[in-house]
Every structure is written in C-alpha cells, then in structure tokens.
Amino acid sequence: MLENTTPRGPIRRILLAGAALLALGLADPAAAAWPERPITLIVPWAAGGGTDATARIIAKIMEPDLGVPVNVVNRTGGSGVVGHSAIATAEPDGYTIGLITFEIGSMHWQGLTDLKWSDYTPIALVNEDPAGVIVRADSPYKTAKELLDAVKAAPKGKFKASGTAQGGSWHIALGGMLRAAGLPADHVQWVPSTGAATALQDLVAGGVDFVTCSVPEAKALIDAGKVRALALMGKERNPTFPDVPTLEEATGIDFQLGAWRGLAGPKGLPKEVTDKLVPLAKKVYDSKEFQDFMASRGFATVYAPPEEFAAFMKARDESTGAVMKALGLAK
C-alpha cells in the first residue's frame, strides 16, 4: 500500500493559502495590474467651470481604456490650495490624479502654500488659453497698439483694467504685458473682480477701460457685439477666433501668458502607472471627442508630454514670480 504524502492539518492549509495568493497575483505586489479599482480625478475648482468640464470629458474618454470608473471630485477652497494639496499629498499609487492649473505657479509666491510644480508627477499639458485684451465695442482703440500707446502716454493709474481677483492670472497677465512694453507693472490701476464675467459686465457698463481675460470667456459678449478682442497673449492665434492677432503680431511685444490645465499625479507615481497614463493622455488629447469638445467651448488645445510639461511649468513659475514681485504681490 502506497503511503499518502499529502500534507495535512495546519501545514497543508498554509501551502494551499500561499498557492491561492500566487494564483491571484497578490503574493507579489508588482504582479498586480493597475488599475484594479476606481480612480479619483481631483479638480481644484468648482463644478460647472471650465476646468471641471475639461476634467469630466477627459475622465469619460479615459474610462473604456482603463476598465474602471474615473470619478471627478471637486475639492475647492483656499484659492485653489485645497484641491492642489489633495492631489500632491495623495498616496502615489495611481488611484488619485488631478487636473492642475496655472495657480500652482502663483500660489506659493503669494505665500498661500509651499506647493509648487515640482511637487507633482507631470502627465500631460492639454490646454492653455492665453490672456486676451478686451475693450468695449465703442472703444476708440481699434488695435492693441493704439491702446498701449494711449496707456504709455497717460499718467499712472489713469487707465483702469479688470479680469479677476488681485494677484489672479489675468492680473498677472496685465502686469507682464505692461513690463514687456517698458512700463511699470502697476501703471494701470487694477480693479479686482470675482472673475472674468463680472469684469466684462463692468467693462460694458463703463467702469473700466479694458479687461484682460481669455477670449473664450468673452465669446458671448463678442458675439453680441458688446465687446471686441484686440489681441491675445499666446504664441499662435486661436482657431476659434482667427481674426484676433497675437500680442506680438499686434504690437511687436513678445509676451505670453495664459490659464493652463494639465494632468498630474502626486510625486513618485510608479512607472507601471505612468507607462499607461502618459500614452492614454495623448490618446485622449488626439481624440475627435476631446478636440470637438474643447473647440465648442473655445478652449485652445496645447499638448506637452511629461518632460516638456515640467519645463513649461518651471518657466511659467519663474515668469509669474517676476511679475508678482514687480506688482508687490510676492511674499
């Protein structure tokens, strides 16, 4: 009679449990395929805004390739600090990513946070909307050059402009444009507002002389014939507004600044995660659905892969800091 050598009791149970773990790929964490559960995509701004809408179309297009839900979560507060902090401090396991924005290059200069671009794993830049120079439809200034010439000839503070809160992206855009034109960054009086929509209404009512904001934000009033866009602070014209020249075309001043959005995760994302997310982000960007959506909103699409995105953020951080110091807004 042959001896039965099958392990019995506790030893047999341990061996069987180990085999089951190996079969499931759980004994070796590196063997686990990412993603295995839903992913959170954090938006540092409120639901219904441009950043929120961009994040939701990205999440929708990503989901079929990832095979798991991508849940957009709005984490607002602190002028963008709360949401950006939530992305940077998340566990770097690929299950929390976010859509970071221009403000990551300005908040730390204001002393609102220590966070900066280097605290993230860049995935892809997907959008930048250059600041535009907007005047009333009945403004005597027909070109950006005419407006800047008038500003140069006027005493400090005579001209008033608006577009966002003190120290916001469009305030920095104005200061940068003025510096590039050889004027003090604060030569034009800034009238703080709760955003471009409020500033544009103030412009139409005659409260300010011009507004710096993205041209898409002014689209409704442009279409209604109430305001005109004289220039935008970008490298190229926006295809949605082909008649609006760049600032360099209009004035010879080579200055660029815009509100941008890009996918990123906390610092130290594993290679297996970035190996999937980076090409997927490019696939999303190239998709007709994404491009059509952005065009319908008037948003300019700009793509940069991780290394170029990092270099872009570094350059924008430095130029933003220089303008904020000149405006007396840097801590």
Side-chain angles (χ1 to χ4, degrees):
M1 183 175 179
L2 293 175
E3 182 180 356
N4 185 351
T5 57
T6 302
R8 297 182 182 278
I11 294 176
R12 183 171 184 271
R13 286 194 295 272
I14 289 170
L15 290 173
L16 289 173
L21 284 172
L22 286 170
L24 291 170
L26 299 177
D28 178 10
W34 178 89
E36 295 183 309
R37 53 187 170 85
I39 294 168
T40 296
L41 199 167
I42 293 175
V43 175
W45 306 104
T51 302
D52 175 69
T54 303
R56 291 182 188 277
I57 191 66
I58 289 172
K60 177 188 174 187
I61 302 171
M62 273 187 162
E63 282 186 345
D65 282 81
L66 291 171
V68 297
V70 179
N71 301 315
V72 175
V73 175
N74 301 89
R75 296 290 301 276
T76 61
S79 299
V81 172
V82 172
H84 282 95
S85 296
I87 300 165
T89 59
E91 187 71 24
D93 54 11
Y95 289 101
T96 300
I97 57 175
L99 202 61
I100 62 175
T101 62
F102 167 91
E103 285 73 16
I104 199 60
S106 64
M107 295 185 298
H108 70 95
W109 291 110
Q110 293 173 283
L112 298 176
T113 179
D114 291 330
L115 285 174
K116 56 179 66 174
W117 65 272
S118 53
D119 293 308
Y120 299 87
T121 298
I123 297 167
L125 175 69
V126 297
N127 155 254
E128 184 180 27
D129 289 311
V133 180
I134 316 294
V135 296
R136 282 187 305 279
D138 61 356
S139 170
Y141 310 110
K142 305 302 181 185
T143 67
K145 186 178 185 306
E146 289 179 3
L147 174 63
L148 274 176
D149 286 346
V151 169
K152 286 180 180 180
K156 180 179 177 180
K158 179 180 179 181
F159 276 81
K160 295 179 181 179
S162 188
T164 187
Q166 186 92 348
S169 56
W170 306 138
H171 185 194
I172 296 166
L174 171 65
M177 179 180 72
L178 294 176
R179 287 181 79 232
L183 291 166
D186 61 351
H187 189 76
V188 171
Q189 181 181 343
W190 185 255
V191 179
S193 71
T194 56
T198 306
L200 288 164
Q201 290 300 328
D202 196 16
L203 174 67
V204 171
V208 294
D209 299 294
F210 64 100
V211 162
T212 47
C213 69
S214 72
V215 181
E217 288 175 302
K219 186 177 186 302
L221 290 175
I222 291 172
D223 292 345
K226 294 184 177 181
V227 302
R228 289 184 286 111
L230 301 183
L232 56 83
M233 304 177 202
K235 284 185 178 181
E236 300 174 350
R237 298 189 183 200
N238 185 328
T240 307
F241 307 95
D243 295 330
V244 181
T246 66
L247 185 65
E248 186 171 15
E249 288 174 329
T251 67
I253 297 170
D254 183 12
F255 175 76
Q256 296 150 20
L257 188 142
W260 56 263
R261 303 174 178 105
L263 281 169
K267 195 170 183 178
L269 281 184
K271 186 175 183 296
E272 67 169 324
V273 173
T274 56
D275 281 351
K276 287 188 178 180
L277 275 180
V278 171
L280 180 54
K282 182 64 166 66
K283 182 178 179 181
V284 169
Y285 177 86
D286 288 337
S287 70
K288 186 177 185 300
E289 186 174 4
F290 179 76
Q291 292 293 331
D292 286 351
F293 173 83
M294 297 298 275
S296 72
R297 294 279 184 130
F299 296 157
T301 53
V302 180
Y303 176 79
E307 287 188 8
E308 291 177 25
F309 184 19
F312 170 90
M313 288 192 287
K314 183 176 186 292
R316 285 291 192 270
D317 185 285
E318 292 170 354
S319 62
T320 296
V323 175
M324 293 186 75
K325 288 175 184 177
L327 287 168
L329 297 172
K331 301 294 184 181

